[in-house]
Amino acid sequence: MRPLQLILIILSYFALIIFISWLTSKDDSNLAFFKASKKSKWYMVAFGMIGASLSGVTFISVPGWVQSTQFSYMQIVFGYLLGYFVIAIVLIPLYYSLNITSIYEYLLQRFGLISQKTGAIFFFISRMLIASFRLFLVASVLQYFILDAWKVPFEITVVVSVFLIWLYTFKSGIKTIVYTDVVQTIFMLLALVGSIVIILDKLNLSFLEIIKTESYQSYSQLFFWNDWHDRKYLLKSVFGGMFIAIAMTGLDQDNMQKNLTCKNTKEAQWNVVSLGFVLILINFLFLFLGALLFMYAEKMGIAIPEMNGNIKTDLLYPEIALNGSLGLTIAILFIVGLIAAAYSSADSALTSLTTSFSIDIMRFDEKKAISKKVRKRIHFLLSIMLVLIIISYKYLLKDNVISSLLTVASYTYGPLLGLFAFGLLTKKMIKEKYLPIICILSILFTYYINNNIEVFLPGYQFGYEILIFNGLFTFLSLFLITEPKKE
């Protein structure tokens, strides 16, 4: 497919999204921006969250991960489902009972202002880094397969990408995103299923025939339980996935802000639980697609692309879809699916960052007229920050993006996990002025243990259970700074 054709497809896609934004942004009040006026239908939120939860990272990086980890990622996904049940049973009733806009307002009511700001800052760092990861991947694909041919600098690609997100979110925020996420999820799922059907046809095999082949079975091992030292070990992955879901969804303003737009607790709970079951099927399809991609590449002699001297399995899917011999249909499906998956997560991230920064850090009340103007300025400044971080990844990031994303989450969400657990499981108060020190020490200690674990347990490799260790260290450390309750 020629670069001009791809550009026209992308522009047509964004024309549709901006049109939807125009229809839904008649009300640009703070209540609409932060809470969608609490009128969202749970099934729309749930369906839209499929695309937002998966993102462009899943769309490209999960299929590319199959070569090195096979289907072991499904163990983490099963853990996600357990985590979603915890969120539905414990956290959602809590948030609705407090009638809060930012979930870190719970920390204000439980401990105090420093705790609220500390929680919000760790969310801010976590979500900014993760949103940047996701957009970096998409910008890299656009650059590698389209814009390099036109000599467009990577920096310009990033600026335009973030500008488009800002353009359709700056007025009505989460209200617009609930609707655009539905459209974007539809495009992403069409691309996923369509790609599988086309590649199966090119391999001249049915689904049942492909899973019986020796080549497929070499990629598709699902459970790893022989060696508990292995970072892919079943129990480590399941429990790691469970706490990743609790931290990255239940303790994350980005994902919970959409849940809090539902009319009541019951609808929000249905939203979260149904999402957990659907993600099992969809993530399996992405891994299945990954196996097909490597089988097709091997058959056709397609080399895995390189960038800056590093092999990038993330780029195999776009390489086959855009430069392979699969035809125009899969190229269109891929580019639309990629853009849909990427922007359905990035737009809500930018909105939630604006929400948390406005309410938790700047302490603006959503009912004050002045905060509406400040909110838009904050939204713009955070967009600029997003641009700068994404550009830096071009020179810093070498690993598979999904692996890098989950590793970062394991460090930055640990203090949030420990702090919320301490608030929910104990009745103790803390000396708040020491809380930031505890959180920073927790990350540093976790990093040290992760890099020196073989000194204590020879042969052991941390998987994503490192998040549990991080949260537990924070939880136990908070007992060192407890104080008597104040009347």
Side-chain angles (χ1 to χ4, degrees), residues 83 85-98 100 103-111 115 243 246-247 250-252 256 415-430 471 475 478-479 485:
F85 273 105
V86 174
I87 294 167
I89 295 170
V90 178
L91 294 176
I92 286 179
L94 172 68
Y95 297 149
Y96 270 81
S97 68
L98 297 176
I100 52 182
I103 62 174
Y104 309 111
E105 292 177 272
Y106 160 73
L107 298 176
L108 172 67
Q109 298 184 35
R110 176 64 177 84
F111 297 115
S115 297
F243 281 91
I246 293 171
L251 308 181
D252 181 277
M256 292 313 299
L416 277 175
L417 183 62
L419 181 57
F420 269 82
F422 193 86
L424 292 168
L425 300 178
T426 76
K427 295 183 179 180
K428 296 182 178 293
M429 298 299 293
I430 59 174
F475 178 84
L478 291 176
F479 281 99
K485 286 186 177 181

Side-chain angles (χ1 to χ4, degrees), residues 173-311:
I174 201 70
K175 181 181 177 182
T176 293
I177 288 168
V178 168
Y179 288 93
T180 56
D181 275 0
V182 170
V183 176
Q184 291 172 144
T185 299
I186 291 172
F187 282 123
M188 187 202 70
L189 295 180
L190 285 174
L192 170 61
V193 175
S195 297
I196 290 174
V197 170
I198 291 171
I199 296 176
L200 281 174
D201 180 64
K202 289 293 182 180
L203 292 172
N204 199 28
L205 293 169
S206 67
F207 175 80
L208 293 177
E209 290 171 334
I210 202 82
I211 62 176
K212 295 178 182 178
T213 63
E214 184 177 340
S215 181
Y216 174 80
Q217 292 174 7
S218 68
Y219 289 111
S220 62
Q221 183 176 345
L222 184 62
F223 298 112
F224 292 76
W225 51 49
N226 293 327
D227 182 8
W228 70 278
H229 294 85
D230 188 355
R231 70 195 310 267
K232 300 191 297 292
Y233 184 67
L234 175 64
L235 292 180
K236 291 161 66 173
S237 295
V238 170
F239 282 106
M242 174 181 172
F243 281 91
I244 285 173
I246 293 171
M248 292 185 66
T249 299
L251 308 181
D252 181 277
Q253 177 64 22
D254 184 3
N255 287 298
M256 292 313 299
Q257 187 167 353
K258 296 175 186 175
N259 283 283
L260 295 177
T261 66
C262 294
K263 296 178 182 179
N264 53 55
T265 303
K266 185 176 181 180
E267 290 195 359
Q269 290 173 316
W270 273 111
N271 167 37
V272 170
V273 172
S274 62
L275 175 65
F277 282 103
V278 172
L279 287 181
I280 291 176
L281 172 62
I282 294 175
N283 277 287
F284 175 80
L285 290 178
F286 272 110
L287 292 168
F288 180 73
L289 172 62
L292 295 181
L293 289 169
F294 282 104
M295 292 170 65
Y296 182 81
E298 184 178 351
K299 180 179 179 180
M300 304 301 294
I302 299 174
I304 299 174
E306 294 186 9
M307 181 178 287
N308 298 328
N310 299 305
I311 293 176

Side-chain angles (χ1 to χ4, degrees), residues 43-215:
Y43 48 85
M44 286 187 64
V45 176
F47 186 77
M49 280 187 68
I50 295 172
S53 299
L54 295 175
S55 80
V57 172
T58 302
F59 194 80
I60 295 180
S61 200
V62 167
W65 214 14
V66 167
Q67 184 187 56
S68 59
T69 65
Q70 301 191 55
F71 280 24
S72 63
Y73 182 61
M74 284 303 299
Q75 298 175 148
I76 299 174
V77 176
F78 292 136
Y80 289 167
L81 178 61
L82 298 178
Y84 287 139
F85 273 105
V86 174
I87 294 167
I89 295 170
V90 178
L91 294 176
I92 286 179
L94 172 68
Y95 297 149
Y96 270 81
S97 68
L98 297 176
N99 191 30
I100 52 182
T101 300
S102 166
I103 62 174
Y104 309 111
E105 292 177 272
Y106 160 73
L107 298 176
L108 172 67
Q109 298 184 35
R110 176 64 177 84
F111 297 115
L113 181 59
I114 295 177
S115 297
Q116 179 190 16
K117 291 199 173 202
T118 300
I121 288 170
F122 271 90
F123 157 73
F124 184 87
I125 295 170
S126 303
R127 185 48 59 179
M128 183 64 77
L129 291 176
I130 290 171
S132 302
F133 270 132
R134 291 169 169 173
L135 280 174
F136 167 77
L137 182 59
V138 179
S140 298
V141 171
L142 295 176
Q143 190 70 32
Y144 186 88
F145 291 98
I146 303 174
L147 299 174
D148 274 346
W150 290 356
K151 308 297 182 184
V152 176
F154 178 76
E155 291 75 11
I156 299 299
T157 305
V158 174
V159 170
V160 172
S161 297
V162 176
F163 170 75
L164 289 171
I165 295 174
W166 174 85
L167 190 62
Y168 69 85
T169 59
F170 82 99
K171 290 189 70 176
S172 290
I174 201 70
K175 181 181 177 182
T176 293
I177 288 168
V178 168
Y179 288 93
T180 56
D181 275 0
V182 170
V183 176
Q184 291 172 144
T185 299
I186 291 172
F187 282 123
M188 187 202 70
L189 295 180
L190 285 174
L192 170 61
V193 175
S195 297
I196 290 174
V197 170
I198 291 171
I199 296 176
L200 281 174
D201 180 64
K202 289 293 182 180
L203 292 172
N204 199 28
L205 293 169
S206 67
F207 175 80
L208 293 177
E209 290 171 334
I210 202 82
I211 62 176
K212 295 178 182 178
T213 63
E214 184 177 340
S215 181

